[in-house]
Amino acid sequence: MGKFVCIHGHFYQPPRENPWLEAVEVQDSAAPFHDWNERVTAECYAPNAAARVLNPAGKIESIVNNYESISFNFGPTLLDWVAKEAPEMVQALREADQLSAQRLGHGNAMAQVYNHLIMPLATRRDKLTQIRWGIRDFRHHFGREPEGMWLAETAVDSESLELMAAEGLKFTILAPSQAQAVRPPGGGDWQKMGPGAVDGSRPYRVATPAGDIAVFFYQGPLSRGVAFEGLLDDGARFAARIKESLPAAADSLLLLATDGESYGHHHRFGEMALAFALNRLEQDPEVQLTNPAAYLATHPPVWEAKIVENSSWSCPHGVERWRSDCGCALDPGRGWNQAWRAPLRQAVDHILERLAGLLEYEGGRLLKDPWAARDAYVNLILDYGQQARQKFLGDHQSHELSPEEQVRVLMLMESQRWGLFAATSCAWFFDDLAGIEAVQNLRFAARALQLAGELDGGGWEEQMTAVLAKARSNQPGEGDGADIWRRRVAPAKVGPRRVAAHAAISGVMGEEPPPEELFVYDLVSSGHRHRSNLGLDLSWGKLTVTHRRLNRPHQLIYAALHPGGHEFLAQVAYDPGDWDPVSLEQPVEPLLRMLDQRGLRELLAKSLGGEAFALGDLFLEGRRSLAKEMLRRTLTSEFDLARNLYDTHRDTMRFLQGINVPRPKLFEALASAVLAGELIQLLTGDSRALSPGRLGEIVSQARELGLDLEGPRVNRAVEEALSAEVAALAADPDNAQALERAGAILDLSDALELDPNLWQAQNIIFGLAQREGRENLTPGSAALGRRLNLDL
């Protein structure tokens, strides 16, 4: 009869995929990582699966999977990204859920409404789809039915709870301020609850027309302490605060609900504080760690509760943060208004209403039940292979569909999908209409409108921008919502010709034919030709572009021209049927010999017609890659010149330093750029070419000149290079070269006083010690482990 403790982590990132490519493009603000998903995974999600626990001497005594000991939910759109980009992370979550189920009888994982929209602001149909998609996604990743579901921003209304109960869900978690009234077992008078006054040490029963559902109200002060009061600065203090906050009654529950990103992303090494606290609580005989499902199984609710309708955990005004200028903002000190929220909500609600009408009209002609088909479409979101597609169409078609009708059904479903994504909560949560979150939602909307317009003839975008024109950004120069749409949304749209242009331009400089795959498109090239002369490159041919989800092939012809330097051109048109790539061979030859760029451009425009594209029309990833290659070719000699300048004047600068004469700032900048550039090149190149001696020379030169090479890119390069060498050593403990290189990288890090996060390397060596036995580690591996602060 001890006390029960449950720490819940809500792990979520907004969907960041380009809706035309279904890939997250590079995000400069996340540097040195590719994008924010990758960065938060490296700083939080993955370290929590391998969290380090320190002994009193400050050495790592164990590495644990925090997810085994906490309740957690991962946003489905985030988890789908993780499954593609870091599948070992999903495996760690699945194993944690399974181990907790073995220990407690119920797994730690909870489901979540699919794409984090605010449920009280959604229609009944959309609420049901969000719940069903969330359940199906959970089943896909965890191999079982969910028992509970997290509501985005804990935003709740009675209808949402009713639908959750109808779908077999047993519980959810809400903020203490969302309890309107409670009453004890046996009925009696309702006790009205003031803000935060509810007793969260027990679950409550909420009655709905579909049956009862349990609600847990988390402990507010302690949960806020994790986020805002530095509780994760010290794992021992965190554990002590939990013990101090335990309810007086035996067998009661203390439930914390927190942003999962607190544990490592918002608070560096927060995962270690969590691991330490969990370890201390697990050793306490008066405390039992649990999860809501397990506690509910042995403590069914006997008290009843009424919720505060249309309430949430992150807006004291209910759900106004997602539809009005309620005063909630991340940075109120800037003095910005959020009057833009209402027009943005009106615009999104309007397109969702029109999309619903399109689904009923168009789907009514092709499908047995359009809404049931939409609910089932999550299966194709998770698996868009041919077999899954044919099963979906076979299950839901009202008659044998023609190939064209099949494409229309898939376009209809995709328009519904991206329409729902346009309602993702993050667009309204932040402070301005021109922020990346709001622009992302507008791009989701643009993709939905593009598909819907093809189905019924258009007029969608004009209505959207007319409403958006009423919303105005706080940032000078951004204008209103219609301006933002024209400048930052409309140019992002993609069609098959732009896909072909990207493929053609990307390969012309390297004399490569279009690839077989490009993001979510399949490409089939035929008749590819390439000619070059004195740095001028020309490619042309035929290309079939097929969007995998829509299964609609487009027959195209293309030509790509690179006259040299930064100029690129592609001409793309739909295949007229009688165009033969051979027909260009003869007319291009004399123009190539004379390097007649103008003549080639005119020839391509006349022979192919269609649409012209330039480097700026490439997708961001390809644009960056091609520009990087251009710069590499152009700047190789310049870097060699910079290196020579540095070598020539290094002794002079060292002399000036010795007689206490300030060095020219220009030289310091040159020296830092040369040494940091070479260091990153060594660390990120072929590990077999990584010379410990050269690393030592760079360290020596940087120290003698008093240069600070520390920075995010250098730290990241050290982390990745060290992890690679340690992994090679784990695969072959007798790999002396890997051991030497790992030692040299650590020497470099120490000498330059870098601050890399070494959790990956530590986890690899710790795993090797567990697998082989600490006593069986080679002397080199054991020494390296000790340098990595492992207690071996």
PDB file of all heavy atoms in Angstrom, residues 615-635:
ATOM      1  N   LEU A 615      17.806  27.322 -61.895  1.00  0.00           N
ATOM      2  CA  LEU A 615      18.307  26.734 -60.652  1.00  0.00           C
ATOM      3  C   LEU A 615      17.393  27.043 -59.475  1.00  0.00           C
ATOM      4  O   LEU A 615      17.161  26.204 -58.603  1.00  0.00           O
ATOM      5  CB  LEU A 615      19.721  27.255 -60.375  1.00  0.00           C
ATOM      6  CG  LEU A 615      20.396  26.766 -59.089  1.00  0.00           C
ATOM      7  CD1 LEU A 615      20.551  25.259 -59.089  1.00  0.00           C
ATOM      8  CD2 LEU A 615      21.755  27.444 -58.912  1.00  0.00           C
ATOM      9  N   GLY A 616      16.842  28.258 -59.443  1.00  0.00           N
ATOM     10  CA  GLY A 616      15.968  28.641 -58.337  1.00  0.00           C
ATOM     11  C   GLY A 616      14.680  27.853 -58.262  1.00  0.00           C
ATOM     12  O   GLY A 616      13.980  27.890 -57.241  1.00  0.00           O
ATOM     13  N   ASP A 617      14.337  27.121 -59.322  1.00  0.00           N
ATOM     14  CA  ASP A 617      13.118  26.314 -59.327  1.00  0.00           C
ATOM     15  C   ASP A 617      13.331  24.925 -58.741  1.00  0.00           C
ATOM     16  O   ASP A 617      12.370  24.173 -58.565  1.00  0.00           O
ATOM     17  CB  ASP A 617      12.583  26.176 -60.761  1.00  0.00           C
ATOM     18  CG  ASP A 617      12.143  27.518 -61.335  1.00  0.00           C
ATOM     19  OD1 ASP A 617      11.365  28.213 -60.661  1.00  0.00           O
ATOM     20  OD2 ASP A 617      12.585  27.865 -62.449  1.00  0.00           O
ATOM     21  N   LEU A 618      14.590  24.564 -58.475  1.00  0.00           N
ATOM     22  CA  LEU A 618      14.844  23.269 -57.864  1.00  0.00           C
ATOM     23  C   LEU A 618      14.312  23.252 -56.437  1.00  0.00           C
ATOM     24  O   LEU A 618      14.195  24.294 -55.783  1.00  0.00           O
ATOM     25  CB  LEU A 618      16.344  22.967 -57.840  1.00  0.00           C
ATOM     26  CG  LEU A 618      16.891  22.146 -59.006  1.00  0.00           C
ATOM     27  CD1 LEU A 618      16.758  22.906 -60.309  1.00  0.00           C
ATOM     28  CD2 LEU A 618      18.342  21.764 -58.756  1.00  0.00           C
ATOM     29  N   PHE A 619      14.003  22.057 -55.935  1.00  0.00           N
ATOM     30  CA  PHE A 619      13.626  21.927 -54.537  1.00  0.00           C
ATOM     31  C   PHE A 619      14.833  22.307 -53.682  1.00  0.00           C
ATOM     32  O   PHE A 619      15.985  22.161 -54.097  1.00  0.00           O
ATOM     33  CB  PHE A 619      13.165  20.507 -54.238  1.00  0.00           C
ATOM     34  CG  PHE A 619      12.127  20.008 -55.207  1.00  0.00           C
ATOM     35  CD1 PHE A 619      12.208  18.736 -55.754  1.00  0.00           C
ATOM     36  CD2 PHE A 619      11.079  20.823 -55.599  1.00  0.00           C
ATOM     37  CE1 PHE A 619      11.263  18.285 -56.656  1.00  0.00           C
ATOM     38  CE2 PHE A 619      10.128  20.388 -56.503  1.00  0.00           C
ATOM     39  CZ  PHE A 619      10.226  19.109 -57.037  1.00  0.00           C
ATOM     40  N   LEU A 620      14.568  22.784 -52.486  1.00  0.00           N
ATOM     41  CA  LEU A 620      15.609  23.388 -51.670  1.00  0.00           C
ATOM     42  C   LEU A 620      16.807  22.467 -51.499  1.00  0.00           C
ATOM     43  O   LEU A 620      17.962  22.892 -51.620  1.00  0.00           O
ATOM     44  CB  LEU A 620      15.026  23.769 -50.304  1.00  0.00           C
ATOM     45  CG  LEU A 620      15.982  24.461 -49.339  1.00  0.00           C
ATOM     46  CD1 LEU A 620      16.529  25.745 -49.937  1.00  0.00           C
ATOM     47  CD2 LEU A 620      15.275  24.744 -48.015  1.00  0.00           C
ATOM     48  N   GLU A 621      16.549  21.197 -51.237  1.00  0.00           N
ATOM     49  CA  GLU A 621      17.640  20.256 -50.997  1.00  0.00           C
ATOM     50  C   GLU A 621      18.545  20.150 -52.219  1.00  0.00           C
ATOM     51  O   GLU A 621      19.768  20.214 -52.126  1.00  0.00           O
ATOM     52  CB  GLU A 621      17.066  18.882 -50.660  1.00  0.00           C
ATOM     53  CG  GLU A 621      17.914  18.060 -49.724  1.00  0.00           C
ATOM     54  CD  GLU A 621      17.733  18.483 -48.282  1.00  0.00           C
ATOM     55  OE1 GLU A 621      16.694  19.042 -47.933  1.00  0.00           O
ATOM     56  OE2 GLU A 621      18.666  18.243 -47.502  1.00  0.00           O
ATOM     57  N   GLY A 622      17.931  19.991 -53.407  1.00  0.00           N
ATOM     58  CA  GLY A 622      18.714  19.880 -54.630  1.00  0.00           C
ATOM     59  C   GLY A 622      19.401  21.181 -54.976  1.00  0.00           C
ATOM     60  O   GLY A 622      20.533  21.195 -55.484  1.00  0.00           O
ATOM     61  N   ARG A 623      18.727  22.295 -54.726  1.00  0.00           N
ATOM     62  CA  ARG A 623      19.317  23.605 -54.984  1.00  0.00           C
ATOM     63  C   ARG A 623      20.584  23.778 -54.159  1.00  0.00           C
ATOM     64  O   ARG A 623      21.626  24.207 -54.658  1.00  0.00           O
ATOM     65  CB  ARG A 623      18.280  24.668 -54.619  1.00  0.00           C
ATOM     66  CG  ARG A 623      18.503  26.027 -55.217  1.00  0.00           C
ATOM     67  CD  ARG A 623      17.466  27.005 -54.673  1.00  0.00           C
ATOM     68  NE  ARG A 623      16.136  26.434 -54.624  1.00  0.00           N
ATOM     69  CZ  ARG A 623      15.186  26.832 -53.781  1.00  0.00           C
ATOM     70  NH1 ARG A 623      15.430  27.806 -52.922  1.00  0.00           N
ATOM     71  NH2 ARG A 623      13.995  26.265 -53.791  1.00  0.00           N
ATOM     72  N   ARG A 624      20.505  23.418 -52.878  1.00  0.00           N
ATOM     73  CA  ARG A 624      21.666  23.548 -51.998  1.00  0.00           C
ATOM     74  C   ARG A 624      22.793  22.609 -52.451  1.00  0.00           C
ATOM     75  O   ARG A 624      23.963  22.975 -52.461  1.00  0.00           O
ATOM     76  CB  ARG A 624      21.268  23.207 -50.560  1.00  0.00           C
ATOM     77  CG  ARG A 624      20.298  24.187 -49.922  1.00  0.00           C
ATOM     78  CD  ARG A 624      21.034  25.425 -49.419  1.00  0.00           C
ATOM     79  NE  ARG A 624      20.123  26.362 -48.777  1.00  0.00           N
ATOM     80  CZ  ARG A 624      19.897  26.396 -47.467  1.00  0.00           C
ATOM     81  NH1 ARG A 624      20.483  25.532 -46.665  1.00  0.00           N
ATOM     82  NH2 ARG A 624      19.074  27.291 -46.958  1.00  0.00           N
ATOM     83  N   SER A 625      22.426  21.379 -52.793  1.00  0.00           N
ATOM     84  CA  SER A 625      23.428  20.401 -53.190  1.00  0.00           C
ATOM     85  C   SER A 625      24.167  20.836 -54.446  1.00  0.00           C
ATOM     86  O   SER A 625      25.399  20.745 -54.536  1.00  0.00           O
ATOM     87  CB  SER A 625      22.754  19.043 -53.406  1.00  0.00           C
ATOM     88  OG  SER A 625      23.684  18.089 -53.841  1.00  0.00           O
ATOM     89  N   LEU A 626      23.420  21.317 -55.425  1.00  0.00           N
ATOM     90  CA  LEU A 626      24.036  21.736 -56.677  1.00  0.00           C
ATOM     91  C   LEU A 626      24.896  22.982 -56.465  1.00  0.00           C
ATOM     92  O   LEU A 626      26.008  23.092 -57.004  1.00  0.00           O
ATOM     93  CB  LEU A 626      22.947  22.018 -57.712  1.00  0.00           C
ATOM     94  CG  LEU A 626      23.365  21.944 -59.185  1.00  0.00           C
ATOM     95  CD1 LEU A 626      23.966  20.594 -59.514  1.00  0.00           C
ATOM     96  CD2 LEU A 626      22.154  22.196 -60.078  1.00  0.00           C
ATOM     97  N   ALA A 627      24.396  23.911 -55.672  1.00  0.00           N
ATOM     98  CA  ALA A 627      25.177  25.113 -55.391  1.00  0.00           C
ATOM     99  C   ALA A 627      26.463  24.763 -54.642  1.00  0.00           C
ATOM    100  O   ALA A 627      27.525  25.349 -54.897  1.00  0.00           O
ATOM    101  CB  ALA A 627      24.337  26.096 -54.574  1.00  0.00           C
ATOM    102  N   LYS A 628      26.364  23.800 -53.734  1.00  0.00           N
ATOM    103  CA  LYS A 628      27.544  23.374 -52.985  1.00  0.00           C
ATOM    104  C   LYS A 628      28.591  22.778 -53.909  1.00  0.00           C
ATOM    105  O   LYS A 628      29.791  23.040 -53.774  1.00  0.00           O
ATOM    106  CB  LYS A 628      27.124  22.356 -51.916  1.00  0.00           C
ATOM    107  CG  LYS A 628      28.234  21.936 -50.975  1.00  0.00           C
ATOM    108  CD  LYS A 628      27.701  20.989 -49.911  1.00  0.00           C
ATOM    109  CE  LYS A 628      28.804  20.550 -48.958  1.00  0.00           C
ATOM    110  NZ  LYS A 628      28.288  19.625 -47.923  1.00  0.00           N
ATOM    111  N   GLU A 629      28.135  21.972 -54.865  1.00  0.00           N
ATOM    112  CA  GLU A 629      29.075  21.379 -55.821  1.00  0.00           C
ATOM    113  C   GLU A 629      29.697  22.462 -56.701  1.00  0.00           C
ATOM    114  O   GLU A 629      30.900  22.423 -57.004  1.00  0.00           O
ATOM    115  CB  GLU A 629      28.353  20.347 -56.685  1.00  0.00           C
ATOM    116  CG  GLU A 629      29.204  19.732 -57.793  1.00  0.00           C
ATOM    117  CD  GLU A 629      30.439  19.013 -57.304  1.00  0.00           C
ATOM    118  OE1 GLU A 629      30.503  18.650 -56.112  1.00  0.00           O
ATOM    119  OE2 GLU A 629      31.360  18.806 -58.111  1.00  0.00           O
ATOM    120  N   MET A 630      28.906  23.438 -57.125  1.00  0.00           N
ATOM    121  CA  MET A 630      29.451  24.551 -57.911  1.00  0.00           C
ATOM    122  C   MET A 630      30.524  25.285 -57.121  1.00  0.00           C
ATOM    123  O   MET A 630      31.597  25.600 -57.645  1.00  0.00           O
ATOM    124  CB  MET A 630      28.339  25.527 -58.282  1.00  0.00           C
ATOM    125  CG  MET A 630      27.464  25.089 -59.414  1.00  0.00           C
ATOM    126  SD  MET A 630      26.444  26.454 -60.021  1.00  0.00           S
ATOM    127  CE  MET A 630      25.873  27.223 -58.540  1.00  0.00           C
ATOM    128  N   LEU A 631      30.230  25.565 -55.852  1.00  0.00           N
ATOM    129  CA  LEU A 631      31.191  26.278 -55.028  1.00  0.00           C
ATOM    130  C   LEU A 631      32.448  25.445 -54.787  1.00  0.00           C
ATOM    131  O   LEU A 631      33.558  25.980 -54.753  1.00  0.00           O
ATOM    132  CB  LEU A 631      30.546  26.661 -53.694  1.00  0.00           C
ATOM    133  CG  LEU A 631      29.492  27.766 -53.764  1.00  0.00           C
ATOM    134  CD1 LEU A 631      28.793  27.918 -52.424  1.00  0.00           C
ATOM    135  CD2 LEU A 631      30.117  29.086 -54.186  1.00  0.00           C
ATOM    136  N   ARG A 632      32.246  24.132 -54.626  1.00  0.00           N
ATOM    137  CA  ARG A 632      33.419  23.276 -54.428  1.00  0.00           C
ATOM    138  C   ARG A 632      34.352  23.360 -55.628  1.00  0.00           C
ATOM    139  O   ARG A 632      35.569  23.499 -55.484  1.00  0.00           O
ATOM    140  CB  ARG A 632      32.975  21.824 -54.204  1.00  0.00           C
ATOM    141  CG  ARG A 632      34.133  20.879 -53.849  1.00  0.00           C
ATOM    142  CD  ARG A 632      33.728  19.432 -53.978  1.00  0.00           C
ATOM    143  NE  ARG A 632      33.438  19.060 -55.352  1.00  0.00           N
ATOM    144  CZ  ARG A 632      34.367  18.806 -56.266  1.00  0.00           C
ATOM    145  NH1 ARG A 632      35.665  18.907 -55.961  1.00  0.00           N
ATOM    146  NH2 ARG A 632      34.037  18.452 -57.494  1.00  0.00           N
ATOM    147  N   ARG A 633      33.767  23.297 -56.818  1.00  0.00           N
ATOM    148  CA  ARG A 633      34.597  23.376 -58.026  1.00  0.00           C
ATOM    149  C   ARG A 633      35.248  24.748 -58.166  1.00  0.00           C
ATOM    150  O   ARG A 633      36.386  24.883 -58.594  1.00  0.00           O
ATOM    151  CB  ARG A 633      33.742  23.098 -59.258  1.00  0.00           C
ATOM    152  CG  ARG A 633      33.198  21.683 -59.322  1.00  0.00           C
ATOM    153  CD  ARG A 633      32.488  21.449 -60.643  1.00  0.00           C
ATOM    154  NE  ARG A 633      31.963  20.088 -60.739  1.00  0.00           N
ATOM    155  CZ  ARG A 633      31.522  19.551 -61.871  1.00  0.00           C
ATOM    156  NH1 ARG A 633      31.548  20.247 -63.000  1.00  0.00           N
ATOM    157  NH2 ARG A 633      31.052  18.311 -61.893  1.00  0.00           N
ATOM    158  N   THR A 634      34.497  25.783 -57.805  1.00  0.00           N
ATOM    159  CA  THR A 634      34.986  27.144 -57.987  1.00  0.00           C
ATOM    160  C   THR A 634      36.003  27.535 -56.925  1.00  0.00           C
ATOM    161  O   THR A 634      36.998  28.215 -57.216  1.00  0.00           O
ATOM    162  CB  THR A 634      33.797  28.130 -57.937  1.00  0.00           C
ATOM    163  OG1 THR A 634      32.848  27.767 -58.925  1.00  0.00           O
ATOM    164  CG2 THR A 634      34.270  29.562 -58.177  1.00  0.00           C
ATOM    165  N   LEU A 635      35.764  27.075 -55.661  1.00  0.00           N
ATOM    166  CA  LEU A 635      36.537  27.599 -54.549  1.00  0.00           C
ATOM    167  C   LEU A 635      37.702  26.716 -54.121  1.00  0.00           C
ATOM    168  O   LEU A 635      38.442  27.083 -53.202  1.00  0.00           O
ATOM    169  CB  LEU A 635      35.621  27.829 -53.341  1.00  0.00           C
ATOM    170  CG  LEU A 635      34.517  28.881 -53.535  1.00  0.00           C
ATOM    171  CD1 LEU A 635      33.694  29.010 -52.269  1.00  0.00           C
ATOM    172  CD2 LEU A 635      35.101  30.229 -53.923  1.00  0.00           C
TER     173      LEU A 635
END
